[in-house]
C-alpha cells in the first residue's frame, strides 16, 4: 500500500485546500493518473498517482486544508479491490451520517490501533503526528467530525478555543460561520477562494509591516507612441510579437533600479538584501484574482524577448496554468491599472519587495510647451509606492524622475537591443 501524500510545492507554500477529488474509493488508477486538484495560495496543483493500483482510502474531503507531507489517502498495489472493508465506509459515511450505524465499527478501526498506544481516539495519521510534535493529548482535542475523528485542523485549533473537551462544545467551533449579514432584500453569499483570501491577507500584512508611501509623476507618451506607430508592423514582422508599452516600462524600470539599487532590495530582520539581478514581476488580473508572474533577468532581454515573456505569462495566468517557477521571487513589480481605465491609484507593495510602479490610463491633456504655447499631449500618471524604512523620499522621487526621463526619450532604452 502506498499513501497519497501532499507534495512539496515550493518553500513559500506550506498548505493547500483540496478543491476536487477526481477519484473515489475503489477506483483503479494507473501511474500518472490525476487523483485530485489542490488549490494553493499561488497556483492550482494536480496530484497524480505514483503507482498502479486501487484507491483504498480517502481521509480528507473536498474543502479541507491539508499540510505539505500529510497523508490524505492510500492506494493498494495491483488492480484488486481493497481487501479491508474499512475504506469504503470511510468515504461513504459522511454522506449517510448516522443513518447507517452498522458501518460505524469499520470506520472506528483506527481506534484499535490507537488503543495500544494509550488513547481512545479515532484520528488520522497526520493528526497523530502533529499532536506528538506539539505535545498535545489527543483525548483533549475537540473533533468537529460527525463521527468524532480528529483531524489535523482540530489539533491545530486546539488551545485557541476554550478548553472544553465535552462533546457539546462542538457547536461552538462552528459559531464563527454563523451569518452576520442578514437582509430581507436579495443577496448572494459566496465563500472566498483560497487565493483571494491569501491576496487579502498579504495586502493587509504589507500595509501593516511596511512604512509605505507613494510618490507621483506624469509621463508624456508622445515619443513612445510615435515609435510604436512607425515601427509596429516591422517589429511584428521581424519578431512575431507586438510592440507594447510594457517592454518600454520594464526597460525603464531596470535602468532606474541600477541607478537606485535600494528599490531592488528587501528587508530581512535587521539586514538589507540588495539584489544584483532584475526579476521584474508583472501584475496580471486573472479569474481567481491578481497574480504576479515574473520576467526573469529582464536586464538581459531585448524588447522582443520581454514582450514574448509577458504574452506567455499573461496567457498562462488567464488559463490557470502558471507554474510555481513562474511566480516565485521577483525583485520589483509593475502593475498597469490603465488597462481598466484607472487614471490614478496608489499600488500596494508586493512584499517582501520594497517598490512597485503603477501605470495608468493614457489621456490627452493640455501641456505647456513654453511660456506662450500649449499642446494636447498623450499623458500618463505614474505612481511609485515604496517602503520608507529603507528608501528615502528623495531617492524615490529621483527614481521616478529617472523612469520618466527614459520613457520620454525612448531611444535611450536601446529599442534595437
Amino acid at each position: 500500500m502506498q499513501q497519497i501524500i501532499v507534495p512539496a510545492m515550493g518553500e513559500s507554500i506550506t498548505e493547500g485546500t483540496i478543491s476536487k477529488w477526481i477519484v473515489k474509493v475503489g477506483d483503479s488508477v494507473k501511474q500518472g493518473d490525476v487523483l485530485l486538484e489542490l488549490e494553493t495560495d499561488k497556483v492550482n496543483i494536480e496530484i497524480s498517482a505514483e503507482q498502479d493500483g486501487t484507491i483504498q482510502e480517502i481521509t480528507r474531503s473536498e474543502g479541507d486544508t491539508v499540510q505539505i507531507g500529510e497523508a490524505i489517502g492510500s492506494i493498494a498495489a495491483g488492480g484488486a479491490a481493497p481487501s479491508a472493508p474499512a475504506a469504503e465506509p470511510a468515504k461513504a459515511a459522511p454522506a449517510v451520517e448516522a443513518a447507517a450505524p452498522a458501518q460505524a465499527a469499520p470506520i472506528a478501526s483506527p481506534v484499535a490501533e490507537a488503543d495500544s498506544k494509550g488513547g481512545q481516539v479515532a484520528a488520522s495519521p497526520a493528526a497523530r503526528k502533529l499532536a506528538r510534535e506539539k505535545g498535545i493529548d489527543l483525548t483533549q482535542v475537540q473533533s468537529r467530525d460527525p463521527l468524532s475523528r480528529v483531524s489535523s485542523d482540530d489539533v491545530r485549533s486546539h488551545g485557541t478555543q476554550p478548553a472544553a473537551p465535552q462533546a457539546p462544545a462542538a457547536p461552538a467551533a462552528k459559531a464563527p460561520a454563523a451569518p452576520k449579514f442578514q437582509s430581507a432584500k436579495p443577496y448572494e453569499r459566496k465563500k472566498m477562494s483560497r487565493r483571494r483570501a491569501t491576496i487579502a491577507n498579504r495586502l493587509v500584512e504589507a500595509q501593516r509591516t511596511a512604512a509605505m508611501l507613494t510618490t507621483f509623476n506624469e509621463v508624456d507618451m508622445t515619443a513612445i507612441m510615435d515609435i510604436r506607430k512607425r515601427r509596429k508592423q516591422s517589429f511584428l514582422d521581424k519578431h512575431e510579437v507586438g510592440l507594447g508599452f510594457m517592454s518600454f516600462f520594464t526597460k525603464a524600470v531596470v535602468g532606474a533600479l541600477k541607478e537606485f539599487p535600494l528599490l531592488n532590495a528587501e528587508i530581512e530582520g535587521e539586514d538589507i538584501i540588495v539584489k544584483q539581478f532584475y526579476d521584474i514581476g508583472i501584475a496580471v488580473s486573472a479569474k481567481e484574482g491578481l497574480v504576479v508572474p515574473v520576467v526573469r533577468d529582464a536586464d538581459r532581454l531585448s524588447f522582443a524577448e520581454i514582450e514574448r515573456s509577458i504574452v506567455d505569462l499573461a496567457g498562462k495566468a488567464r488559463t490557470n496554468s502558471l507554474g510555481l517557477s513562474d511566480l516565485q521571487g521577483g525583485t520589483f513589480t509593475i502593475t498597469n491599472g490603465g488597462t481598466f481605465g484607472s487614471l490614478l491609484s496608489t499600488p500596494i507593495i508586493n512584499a517582501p519587495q520594497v517598490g512597485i510602479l503603477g501605470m495608468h490610463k493614457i489621456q490627452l491633456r493640455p501641456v505647456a510647451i513654453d511660456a506662450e504655447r500649449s499642446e494636447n499631449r498623450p499623458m500618463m500618471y505614474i505612481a511609485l509606492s515604496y517602503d520608507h524604512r529603507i528608501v528615502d523620499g528623495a531617492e524615490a522621487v529621483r527614481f521616478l524622475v529617472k523612469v520618466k526621463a527614459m520613457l520620454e526619450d525612448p531611444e535611450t532604452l536601446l529599442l534595437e537591443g
Side-chain angles (χ1 to χ4, degrees), residues 42-44 195 282 284-289 291-294 296 308-327:
K42 295 182 177 180
V43 294
N44 290 354
R195 190 171 304 163
I282 306 295
V284 177
S285 177
K287 183 178 179 180
E288 294 295 324
V291 291
V292 187
V294 178
R296 306 287 175 187
R308 274 195 290 267
S309 295
I310 293 173
V311 169
D312 179 57
L313 292 170
K316 287 183 177 181
R318 294 183 180 112
T319 58
N320 200 30
S321 57
L322 285 168
L324 289 173
S325 60
D326 296 321
L327 297 165

Side-chain angles (χ1 to χ4, degrees), residues 272-336:
I272 298 174
I273 311 299
V274 181
K275 300 166 186 176
Q276 298 175 347
F277 56 94
Y278 305 90
D279 290 350
I280 306 301
I282 306 295
V284 177
S285 177
K287 183 178 179 180
E288 294 295 324
L290 187 74
V291 291
V292 187
V294 178
V295 177
R296 306 287 175 187
D297 298 316
D299 58 316
R300 302 179 185 179
L301 302 181
S302 67
F303 273 69
E305 288 170 331
I306 291 173
E307 292 291 352
R308 274 195 290 267
S309 295
I310 293 173
V311 169
D312 179 57
L313 292 170
K316 287 183 177 181
R318 294 183 180 112
T319 58
N320 200 30
S321 57
L322 285 168
L324 289 173
S325 60
D326 296 321
L327 297 165
Q328 291 175 330
T331 62
F332 187 93
T333 294
I334 303 174
T335 181
N336 186 4

Side-chain angles (χ1 to χ4, degrees), residues 330-369:
T331 62
F332 187 93
T333 294
I334 303 174
T335 181
N336 186 4
T339 301
F340 306 101
S342 172
L343 186 62
L344 192 62
S345 66
T346 55
I348 298 177
I349 293 169
N350 182 24
Q353 298 169 23
V354 297
I356 180 171
L357 179 75
M359 301 166 55
H360 298 92
K361 178 183 178 181
I362 299 173
Q363 188 177 59
L364 282 174
R365 290 198 292 273
V367 175
I369 305 303

